[in-house]
Amino acid sequence: AGRRLLEERHGMDPYVAGLLDIARSATKLGPAWAANHLADRVGALTRGWAPQDEALGAAMAERIVDLLGP
């Protein structure tokens, strides 16, 4: 029973099926991920600017998501 459970959960077929699911999902998530990553980078790069400019960084990040997001 242990061997059968091992083969069912850790065999090549479930592994390949999982990889294919990830690959299919990645193509759908690419644009959203890129927009979020770019917005995060803008936020990180503008952190620590003068207090009046803090809102500018947040506004830029939101605009990036608006332009590139899903």
Side-chain angles (χ1 to χ4, degrees), residues 24-54:
R24 286 185 197 106
S25 297
T27 59
K28 296 174 189 168
L29 298 175
W33 179 88
N36 288 331
H37 181 68
L38 184 57
D40 286 345
R41 292 293 301 143
V42 167
L45 292 171
T46 58
R47 191 172 297 122
W49 286 7
Q52 65 271 17
D53 294 333
E54 291 284 330

Side-chain angles (χ1 to χ4, degrees), residues 4-69:
R4 188 182 72 237
L5 184 63
L6 175 70
E7 290 172 353
E8 288 173 1
R9 293 192 181 172
H10 301 284
M12 187 60 70
D13 290 339
Y15 178 76
V16 171
L19 287 177
L20 289 173
D21 287 343
I22 291 169
R24 286 185 197 106
S25 297
T27 59
K28 296 174 189 168
L29 298 175
W33 179 88
N36 288 331
H37 181 68
L38 184 57
D40 286 345
R41 292 293 301 143
V42 167
L45 292 171
T46 58
R47 191 172 297 122
W49 286 7
Q52 65 271 17
D53 294 333
E54 291 284 330
L56 178 61
M60 287 187 295
E62 288 177 18
R63 185 71 177 128
I64 289 167
V65 171
D66 290 343
L67 289 171
L68 302 177

